[in-house]
């Protein structure tokens, strides 16, 4: 297994990480989306209860790639609100990264250490 490398300067850490998208099958849930927004998400990615994203175990089915190496969201432009609000380095990000053995990112707005 190759070692995990941190994001290069200027690279979006989310495209390397993907941990939040593979944290829990309850995480990619629908919260504040209206029907019009939900209609944009392809049916194959919506769970049977219509309450969130379909998951394979704890991993969102819209996520491709390898956690901590290179990932992408297959529905990025229409992703649920919970996905839009998880930000690199916030508490939720830290929890997900820790679960996958990845180091915490700098907190948003925090000076570099």
């Amino acid at each position: 297994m190759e070692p995990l490398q941190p994001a290069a300067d200027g690279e979006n850490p989310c495209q390397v990480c993907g941990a939040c998208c593979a944290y829990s099958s309850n995480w990619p849930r629908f919260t504040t989306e209206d029907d019009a927004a939900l209609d944009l998400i392809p049916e194959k990615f919506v769970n049977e209860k219509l309450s969130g994203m379909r998951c394979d175990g704890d991993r969102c089915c819209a996520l491709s790639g390898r956690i901590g190496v290179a990932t992408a969201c297959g529905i990025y432009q229409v992703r649920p609100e919970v996905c839009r609000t998880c930000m690199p380095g916030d508490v939720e990000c830290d929890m997900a990264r820790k679960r996958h053995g990845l180091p915490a990112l700098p907190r948003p707005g925090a000076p570099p250490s």
Side-chain angles (χ1 to χ4, degrees), residues 10-103:
E11 187 176 322
N12 181 339
C14 299
Q15 292 177 321
V16 173
C17 182
C20 62
C21 304
Y23 178 76
S24 166
S25 61
N26 294 319
W27 185 277
R29 65 195 175 282
F30 302 143
T31 54
T32 61
E33 294 82 7
D34 60 20
D35 288 341
L38 293 175
D39 288 344
L40 297 174
I41 298 173
E43 186 178 326
K44 69 180 182 178
F45 293 124
V46 178
N47 70 21
E48 297 79 24
K49 296 178 185 177
L50 306 178
S51 62
M53 298 297 292
R54 183 180 309 276
C55 292
D56 182 10
D58 288 337
R59 183 182 173 122
C60 178
C61 288
L63 180 68
S64 64
R66 186 168 158 219
I67 305 297
V69 177
T71 60
C73 176
I75 61 161
Y76 186 80
Q77 295 301 321
V78 296
R79 68 196 185 282
E81 184 65 24
V82 70
C83 303
R84 294 172 185 276
T85 60
C86 186
M87 301 304 293
D90 69 10
V91 173
E92 291 82 8
C93 172
D94 285 351
M95 288 187 320
R97 288 179 64 85
K98 182 176 181 181
R99 180 150 192 249
H100 288 277
L102 300 169

